[in-house]
Amino acid sequence: MWQLSDDPKANVTYRPFSKSGGAPIDYNGVDGLDMKRLHIPQHGDRVMVNQDAYRRKLEYLTQYAEDDWLGFSVISGSVGTLLGRGGSFHEQLALLLRIVGDLYGAGARAGELTESTKDPFLPWPWDKAEVLTRITADVEQHSRLPDSGDICWFTVP
């Protein structure tokens, strides 16, 4: 659970499964969000993209994260390329979260860039589910896919 506020109490919670299908992210008392739940598409209900193109994009993004800090403009651009024109915001967000989840599976981690020359990247201390929850809340709050410098960066430590 990612707590956004104590007064009034607001939080976002990721659950790996729900009876209605898929992994949901529940929003409780979050001002400005008209929704209460977002279902993250799972294998059986994924947003339809060409799987070979997805695999190539994921390999590219993983290599990018191994070589440098990967910003959201590159990931968001990949979402646009894979979905093409006309993808809804929900479809874009679902694919963005799928990519981030798969990047985590490949060893990449989310974090902040610092001004330190010794430790220029500070990884977030959360697991994959908590990272997806935080990213979802931030993206939903702005109602658009993020750019580089928004939310976090990714790298393979």
Side-chain angles (χ1 to χ4, degrees), residues 61-62 64-65 68-72 74-75 103 148 152-155:
L61 294 169
T62 301
Y64 195 119
D68 201 351
W69 297 293
L70 173 62
F72 266 114
V74 182
I75 299 170
L103 283 169
S148 292
C152 65
W153 295 83
F154 298 89
T155 196

Side-chain angles (χ1 to χ4, degrees), residues 112-123:
E112 308 293 332
L113 296 181
T114 72
E115 293 185 17
S116 168
T117 55
K118 182 179 180 224
D119 296 311
F121 183 80
L122 180 64

Side-chain angles (χ1 to χ4, degrees), residues 58-59 61-63 65-66 99-109 128 155-157:
L58 184 61
E59 288 172 2
L61 294 169
T62 301
Q63 185 63 51
E66 289 175 359
I99 290 170
V100 170
D102 288 345
L103 283 169
Y104 254 69
R109 294 298 174 260
K128 177 174 135 179
T155 196
V156 176

